[in-house]
Amino acid sequence: MPVERVVDADDPRVEPFRDLRDRERGSRDGLFVVETRAVVRELLASRFRSRAILVNDAALASLEPIPPDVPVYVGPMPLLREIVGYNFHRGCLALGERMPDPSLDAILASTPKRLVMLDDVTDPDNVGVIFRTARAFGADGVLLSEGSADPLYRKAIRTSMGATLLVPFARFVEPLDTLSRLRAAGMTLLALTPHDGVDIGTYVPPERAVLLLGTEGAGLRPGVTAAADVALTIPMAAGIDSLNVATAAAIALHALRRVATARHRL
């Protein structure tokens, strides 16, 4: 592990870390930003290659051992803040290298039992929390429309607690074509809707299914809901219109896992 001290914010070795907030809005040259010690550890264990790590001494001690091919730059917190351009979390930040997303075919080749499909979920915090929930409840992958937020955006990675680095994901362009391919692969399509669906607490899910989630406001596109095999609803108190999509995803995935687990015990 090549550990190198940094004493100057203009040190060319840390150029990729400079002014990250502004650079993230544009091209990141194939890189993404990972914050916090726990999530950097997830990066080191993921399929993504780590380009470099920037830490203070306390964070360095918590990360060891680090693979020998990952450069590590160490400095005091005020200097690190000056380099990065904002006050990042717990003195620990890393850059990962983007790689091609797995294709839908690659995800289906693993014969997944549970997938989550996001239809234009644009908020990176919601996307991150949904990935964290998907990992917690054993989903095998997440499919995202072109309009959904980037799972490798810094906030999405942080709120997912690194789940976006570990749960396979693929992008899709045409939702109806994607749904047809999922059904042809033997998966049942479950659309989560605020009203007029089957109570998810009583629904017995099939062995293999895809949970379809839309935006908090508009929900799933009408064509997507119509193409689903089953519409599911989370019962709520009178006068409540809907839930945050990440909250709804957590309730739905927990309910589907609980009922499926109970069925297998019979």
Side-chain angles (χ1 to χ4, degrees):
M1 175 183 62
V3 177
E4 302 180 36
R5 292 280 165 182
V6 179
V7 297
D8 185 348
D10 294 324
D11 189 323
R13 296 175 298 172
V14 296
E15 169 60 28
F17 291 97
R18 190 161 291 117
D19 299 323
L20 286 182
R21 179 171 288 166
D22 290 336
R23 295 176 65 175
E24 193 175 24
R25 295 191 181 104
S27 172
R28 287 285 312 125
D29 299 322
L31 301 177
F32 58 88
V33 182
V34 176
E35 297 176 337
T36 80
R37 303 173 192 185
V39 181
V40 170
R41 284 194 290 268
E42 298 283 28
L43 171 64
L44 295 172
S46 75
R47 65 188 176 95
F48 296 95
R49 182 178 181 273
S50 303
R51 173 69 65 86
I53 299 174
L54 186 68
V55 290
N56 60 12
D57 286 286
L60 174 62
S62 74
L63 292 178
E64 296 176 336
I66 297 173
D69 61 337
V70 180
V72 181
Y73 302 106
V74 185
M77 201 60 213
L79 177 62
L80 302 188
R81 293 192 194 101
E82 183 180 354
I83 294 168
V84 172
Y86 64 91
N87 185 17
F88 60 97
H89 293 258
R90 300 192 64 190
C92 186
L93 187 147
L95 297 176
E97 294 185 0
R98 289 180 180 266
M99 55 193 302
D101 298 340
S103 66
L104 175 59
D105 287 339
I107 289 178
L108 291 177
S110 67
T111 317
K113 290 188 175 182
R114 189 77 74 241
L115 295 175
V116 177
M117 182 171 171
L118 304 185
D119 185 24
D120 288 355
V121 178
T122 59
D123 186 284
D125 288 320
N126 283 335
V127 168
V129 174
I130 290 169
F131 266 83
R132 185 177 182 181
T133 300
R135 183 185 181 193
F137 294 123
D140 301 300
V142 177
L143 310 177
L144 304 102
S145 68
E146 284 192 315
S148 293
D150 181 5
L152 297 182
Y153 182 66
R154 174 169 52 93
K155 289 181 68 179
I157 296 173
R158 188 175 72 237
T159 56
S160 80
M161 288 299 294
T164 61
L165 307 175
L166 300 170
V167 176
F169 62 86
R171 290 280 188 179
F172 64 87
V173 178
E174 295 293 338
L176 297 184
D177 175 67
T178 301
L179 293 176
S180 296
R181 293 174 63 189
L182 291 166
R183 184 181 286 113
M187 305 200 76
T188 300
L189 311 178
L190 309 177
L192 193 63
T193 63
H195 309 290
D196 302 323
V198 178
D199 183 338
I200 197 168
T202 61
Y203 176 71
V204 180
E207 188 72 17
R208 303 180 63 215
V210 185
L211 180 65
L212 314 179
L213 301 168
T215 62
E216 185 174 350
L220 291 164
R221 281 174 274 190
V224 173
T225 303
D229 298 305
V230 180
L232 298 175
T233 297
I234 299 170
M236 293 179 284
I240 302 300
D241 181 65
S242 66
L243 294 169
N244 168 270
V245 64
T247 302
I251 295 170
L253 287 170
H254 175 265
L256 293 174
R257 180 180 176 87
R258 177 180 56 79
V259 174
T261 301
R263 179 186 62 189
H264 287 302
R265 287 174 179 166
L266 296 176

